[in-house]
Amino acid sequence: MKLEEAQALDSFAALSQPDRLQMVRLLVIAGPEGMAAGAIGDAVGAAPSSASFHLSHLERAGLVTSRRVARSIVYSADYATLASLVDFLTRDCCQGHPEVCLPRTETCRSEPSKEPARAD
């Protein structure tokens, strides 16, 4: 999936709000199984209506997906879109010499932080 500029702008706009950025980071840590909307809201300190608004915004931008599990809505990071966003940023890496750029796989091997940083 190759992200174009308009899609990248939508993604960056969605991530430009602190709670939404924190939610995406939390879902990346949670892995493919994701988290229930209520747990995400609790983790970032957002009221249920606010969490729902932010998660819907992230879903429209293609950064997260949702599925119904019993009475809960479970959200997961959309890793393909997130990878495409990184690819968009590094497409012209090092002026045509991508071999000097750190491979993303090296970044993924590092120990993840236990909690996303909170922007206060």
Side-chain angles (χ1 to χ4, degrees):
M1 170 180 177
K2 185 175 179 180
L3 212 61
E4 297 303 324
E5 189 168 325
Q7 296 166 298
L9 287 170
D10 287 343
S11 296
F12 288 125
L15 292 170
S16 69
Q17 200 283 337
D19 286 343
R20 290 194 292 263
L21 178 60
Q22 192 174 4
M23 288 174 173
V24 169
R25 294 185 69 206
L26 184 67
L27 288 171
V28 167
I29 292 167
E33 64 276 0
M35 293 177 68
I40 296 167
D42 289 345
V44 301
S49 61
S50 180
S52 178
F53 170 79
H54 290 311
L55 288 163
S56 292
H57 196 97
L58 291 168
E59 189 167 27
R60 280 191 306 277
L63 298 169
V64 302
T65 60
S66 66
R67 66 187 185 284
R68 182 166 289 283
V69 177
R71 295 188 313 168
S72 296
I73 298 185
V74 175
Y75 288 87
S76 301
D78 187 318
Y79 293 99
T81 301
L82 292 170
S84 293
L85 192 57
V86 172
D87 287 343
F88 175 83
L89 289 173
T90 58
R91 190 175 295 157
D92 301 315
C93 184
C94 305
Q95 299 178 355
H97 300 283
E99 67 276 4
V100 300
C101 295
L102 175 69
R104 278 192 326 273
T105 55
E106 292 299 317
T107 303
C108 293
R109 288 188 198 134
S110 66
E111 285 295 314
S113 64
K114 298 295 181 203
E115 291 184 29
R118 174 90 178 164
D120 291 316

